[in-house]
Amino acid sequence: MRNLVVLFCLFAFPAISQPIYQVNEVEKAAEPAGGLAMFNRFVLANLRIPIQSAARGMNARVLIKGVVETDGTMSGLAIARPLDSLCDAEALRVMNLYKAWKPASLKNQPVRQAVVYPIQFRTAPIPAYDSARHAMIEYFDKNYQMVSDEKKFRYRNIIPVDRYGDVRADILFQEKRSGDWKTVKAFPFVKNEIWVQLSGPVKLDSIKAYRISANMGNWESPSEEITVQPDGRLLSFVAYPGSGKLPAVRKSYYQSGMLKEERIAADSLVQVTSWYDNGQLGSVILIDNKNRISVKENRDTDGNVLVKEGNGMARIHAGTYRGKTVYEEGMVENGFKTGRWTGKLAVSDLVYEEFYEGGKLTKGVRHTGEQPLEYTVDIVQPKFRAGPKEFFKLLRDHVNYMPPMNPSIGRPEGKLLISFLVSEEGRLSDFSIDRGVAKHIDQQVLEVIKMTDGLWDPCIQKGLKISSRHTFPINFETN
């Protein structure tokens, strides 16, 4: 055993003892793969500015020092110039996530180099933040218009938030009566334990997490829902713009807490930006209302440009297959997929091949079963098997639209959003009321949906039945 230890030390010693060079001592300096602009985009996408620091308004930098190793990782991270304890910790967190460095070179050999990089913090002041209460406080006049003049204060919202500005407790709606604030209504903070299936180069286990949400109880107000690990690292973020609209922003994260994919919906387009697990920008694509993809940017894990000005051989993250990451590869002309595209696992196993003309799918073949399976539609969303007419008949038969104890409230108006998992067998689970119209209505509709368990056709993606989360919108109108 002693001889083995000696051998290990002999092999390990040269790597540990390699000198650390300064930037003026190397022929080619260490730098982020893809350049400084790509690194800054990574920081901007992942930085979560502590609200206590952000509230006063900021335009300052934390300087981080460390050593870029010969394998492109960074070691010895420390603060070179501090800002405050919260921002310093956040700057270190973000820099720890980034692993897409190009090492320095000397005499055509990679060498270790000391670097100092800035992490920029820039925000406008947030006057609604109350540092004593650790809450956002919004004031309104008698007409429910937001105001800052104390003489006009009639109502207010108290929204308790954590260090990053996420809701952490019940939201209080209060009215000023005889000089004192009285709570009129409390909107519940919801934190449910769930299990999340992760994906990667190999199939990963599910991990425990918490789904956290709180909203103002009406369909007009915006709201957010996050999924976090027990240690606080994000797994997902969903922002609803209000007025019954579907999510405007969806983000998913790697287990490390680094942003993996961001979807931003605007008008009839969805912009999808994805990152590799080393922090390198992967692709920026646009999806129109006909599900046609336009590739705007595409790079490999080393930051090399694959698609330039809408033309090139692309490699795009395309979701998962049975818990493993799938990448698509094929030609792009004028921004659109063309010719033969293949979908492969990270270990290069062929999952499917597709054929495109001007961005339109003409034929697909899935290769994961005993026999190849052909398809012409990329994805078919889950649906109630008996059809929408029968579903809304169930609603009419089982939902009492008028509050039984207070008919003067009237019928609800707005869009109810309920989401749930639909399994490959059409079974339903993990229900969530993402946007309510009225509590008595929300619960009744939820019970109707639960009644339809097992009566759904699952999502079909590239010819294969899969489990998926489905958001079901139901419009309520005064008439």
Side-chain angles (χ1 to χ4, degrees):
M1 177 62 73
R2 183 176 180 276
N3 290 337
L4 289 175
V5 173
V6 171
L7 281 172
F8 174 78
C9 290
L10 287 174
F11 282 113
F13 182 75
I16 296 173
S17 63
Q18 286 181 2
I20 299 173
Y21 293 90
Q22 301 300 315
V23 65
N24 62 331
E25 299 174 327
V26 299
E27 294 168 351
K28 184 174 176 57
E31 63 177 353
L36 183 59
M38 289 295 104
F39 173 77
N40 288 335
R41 287 175 70 174
F42 166 84
V43 171
L44 185 62
N46 284 276
L47 196 66
R48 303 182 70 200
I49 302 179
I51 191 168
Q52 188 171 332
S53 301
R56 60 179 181 264
M58 304 181 69
N59 187 8
R61 301 185 300 176
V62 175
L63 294 183
I64 303 289
K65 63 182 179 180
V67 176
V68 175
E69 301 290 345
T70 57
D71 62 357
T73 61
M74 184 180 275
S75 64
L77 287 172
I79 301 295
R81 190 176 74 188
L83 184 55
D84 62 52
S85 60
L86 295 176
C87 290
D88 294 349
E90 177 61 10
L92 282 172
R93 183 190 74 84
V94 172
M95 187 65 91
N96 262 306
L97 293 173
Y98 189 77
K99 305 182 188 306
W101 294 93
K102 286 186 177 180
S105 62
L106 183 62
K107 297 180 180 179
N108 294 321
Q109 295 296 320
V111 294
R112 306 170 76 202
Q113 184 206 313
V115 298
V116 178
Y117 265 81
I119 302 295
Q120 186 77 33
F121 290 79
R122 183 182 290 113
T123 66
I126 308 174
Y129 179 69
D130 186 318
S131 59
R133 291 174 175 263
H134 300 291
M136 298 287 291
I137 304 181
E138 303 169 333
Y139 291 93
F140 306 88
D141 61 17
K142 62 181 181 179
N143 298 316
Y144 299 100
Q145 299 297 312
M146 190 174 291
V147 292
S148 57
D149 185 352
E150 292 187 23
K151 296 179 180 179
K152 297 181 179 180
F153 288 174
R154 178 66 182 275
Y155 304 101
R156 71 180 183 182
N157 293 327
I158 299 181
I159 309 171
V161 294
D162 64 14
R163 63 182 295 182
Y164 292 117
D166 296 322
V167 179
R168 61 176 173 82
D170 291 355
I171 298 174
L172 303 180
F173 176 65
Q174 297 183 330
E175 182 180 7
K176 198 170 188 179
R177 300 172 182 171
S178 302
D180 295 324
W181 288 100
K182 304 294 183 182
T183 297
V184 177
K185 189 172 184 178
F187 301 98
F189 168 77
V190 180
K191 182 177 181 180
N192 294 321
E193 181 180 311
I194 60 174
W195 288 85
V196 177
Q197 176 68 56
L198 300 177
S199 63
V202 296
K203 186 174 182 179
L204 302 175
D205 293 332
S206 297
I207 63 170
K208 184 169 74 172
Y210 298 96
R211 181 180 294 141
I212 298 172
S213 64
N215 61 64
M216 298 301 297
N218 62 77
W219 72 290
E220 296 95 345
S221 299
S223 64
E224 298 174 353
E225 177 184 280
I226 63 173
T227 303
V228 298
Q229 300 175 63
D231 62 4
R233 287 179 294 179
L234 280 171
L235 287 175
S236 72
F237 169 90
V238 183
Y240 295 92
S243 299
K245 295 180 180 178
L246 293 172
V249 179
R250 286 186 181 272
K251 298 180 182 182
S252 61
Y253 296 79
Y254 291 100
Q255 190 175 2
S256 65
M258 188 187 79
L259 185 59
K260 181 177 184 179
E261 182 181 274
E262 178 184 63
R263 290 176 173 258
I264 301 176
D267 299 325
S268 59
L269 291 176
V270 177
Q271 178 174 294
V272 183
T273 306
S274 63
W275 283 263
Y276 295 107
D277 59 6
N278 65 353
Q280 181 57 248
L281 178 71
S283 62
V284 178
I285 65 175
L286 294 178
I287 305 175
D288 64 19
N289 54 9
K290 296 181 179 179
N291 207 36
R292 192 169 65 163
I293 292 175
S294 175
V295 181
K296 296 301 180 183
E297 295 184 60
N298 188 220
R299 295 172 180 263
D300 64 15
T301 56
D302 294 325
N304 299 310
V305 176
L306 301 178
V307 174
K308 184 176 182 179
E309 297 179 354
N311 297 280
M313 177 64 75
R315 183 175 188 265
I316 299 173
H317 179 256
T320 61
Y321 170 68
R322 300 196 184 283
K324 298 180 182 180
T325 301
V326 176
Y327 282 94
E328 291 185 341
E329 297 178 344
M331 287 297 299
V332 174
E333 292 183 358
N334 300 318
F336 295 112
K337 291 181 176 181
T338 187
R340 179 176 179 265
W341 276 64
T342 58
K344 298 180 179 179
L345 300 177
V347 292
S348 299
D349 294 331
L350 182 65
V351 178
Y352 56 85
E353 56 182 333
E354 296 177 338
F355 300 87
Y356 289 85
E357 290 182 5
K360 183 179 180 181
L361 176 66
T362 59
K363 177 185 175 182
V365 183
R366 177 173 280 276
H367 293 280
T368 52
E370 293 182 1
Q371 297 292 330
L373 178 64
E374 294 190 6
Y375 55 91
T376 56
V377 179
D378 181 71
I379 190 167
V380 179
Q381 296 295 339
K383 60 182 179 181
F384 181 57
R385 198 170 298 140
K389 288 185 178 180
E390 287 300 315
F391 181 84
F392 286 105
K393 183 177 183 299
L394 285 175
L395 288 181
R396 288 193 297 271
D397 293 342
H398 293 89
V399 175
N400 177 14
Y401 295 93
M402 297 295 289
M405 301 303 293
N406 189 4
S408 64
I409 294 178
R411 291 178 179 270
E413 183 178 4
K415 181 181 289 185
L416 171 63
L417 297 177
I418 295 181
S419 65
F420 45 88
L421 288 178
V422 183
S423 73
E424 297 174 20
E425 296 77 29
R427 303 303 302 268
L428 309 184
S429 63
D430 194 16
F431 302 90
S432 173
I433 299 174
D434 298 332
R435 170 69 61 191
V437 293
K439 189 172 182 180
H440 72 287
I441 296 294
D442 303 342
Q443 291 299 321
Q444 290 182 78
V445 173
L446 178 59
E447 291 304 314
V448 171
I449 291 177
K450 289 180 178 180
M451 288 169 52
T452 65
D453 180 27
L455 302 178
W456 286 70
D457 290 328
C459 178
I460 299 177
Q461 186 176 38
K462 301 185 185 302
L464 183 71
K465 294 179 180 179
I466 64 168
S467 296
S468 67
R469 188 160 194 87
H470 182 57
T471 299
F472 195 77
I474 302 174
N475 285 309
F476 290 88
E477 298 179 356
T478 304
N479 296 324

